[in-house]
Amino acid sequence: AASCSVTLGTPGLQEPASKHVPEGTTVEYCSNPPTSGPHFAVWADFKEYATEVPWPYLVHSEEHGGTLLLYKCEQPCPELVEQLRAAATRAPIDARCNEQGRPLLKRIIIAPSSTIPTRVAAAAWGATYTADCVDDATLDEFIVKRGQKGPEDICFAGRATF
């Protein structure tokens, strides 16, 4: 049993799932966090961010097989961020990144989000995870089963600052 309320979702693909739109375009998504749909031609690099990253960059990262680990805190919450870092550390090595010259990198993004519906959320292409806490077992399973499965299986560097 999970240590808190966890909800898994498969909202399906928002069409057009892979359409590029100009940077700065407002995009409405059918799930929160989004898991597909129109996005910018540039993607967010796979790393930890201290500030929010606009959804259209993150959706493109998901298309590349990325998994988003998101958190919402009204005040700094270093313990929650550390729990997400631990989940990323536990995730299996990403062979595709190794093949593409980015050894030891995992296609995981950790970032704050003021718009997710719960304190913790994760997303990968076509799948969502929302929870009131970091439940290690269910989050680890989500990363293993849903991550690294985007239609564009690449690990190349994206934009690193926002």
Side-chain angles (χ1 to χ4, degrees):
S3 59
C4 63
S5 176
V6 172
T7 303
L8 299 172
T10 50
L13 298 183
Q14 178 175 329
E15 296 300 334
S18 298
K19 179 182 179 185
H20 290 172
V21 296
E23 285 186 80
T25 300
T26 299
V27 179
E28 296 293 324
Y29 291 102
C30 64
S31 67
N32 186 5
T35 66
S36 64
H39 52 267
F40 300 153
V42 178
W43 60 96
D45 202 10
F46 306 110
K47 64 178 225 142
E48 182 177 328
Y49 295 89
T51 59
E52 292 193 46
V53 178
W55 289 124
Y57 295 107
L58 294 174
V59 169
H60 197 163
S61 298
E62 291 174 299
E63 184 183 36
H64 289 189
T67 302
L68 311 179
L69 302 181
L70 307 165
Y71 59 94
K72 178 170 69 174
C73 302
E74 292 181 19
Q75 313 227 335
C77 53
E79 71 293 338
L80 186 60
V81 175
E82 188 53 45
Q83 290 174 306
L84 294 175
R85 284 182 192 138
T89 298
R90 289 189 304 270
I93 295 297
D94 191 326
R96 190 70 172 145
C97 289
N98 191 48
E99 292 168 9
Q100 295 180 355
R102 298 185 84 189
L104 306 180
L105 182 73
K106 299 171 185 178
R107 285 178 280 178
I108 294 175
I109 292 172
I110 299 173
S113 173
S114 62
T115 61
I116 57 175
T118 53
R119 193 159 188 241
V120 176
W125 193 253
T128 60
Y129 171 106
T130 55
D132 298 324
C133 73
V134 174
D135 179 70
D136 291 344
T138 58
L139 186 56
D140 291 354
E141 182 177 10
F142 181 86
I143 293 168
V144 168
K145 287 186 174 179
R146 302 306 300 201
Q148 302 175 25
K149 300 209 177 8
E152 293 180 0
D153 190 20
I154 62 172
C155 193
F156 300 123
R159 186 169 168 186
T161 58
F162 295 93

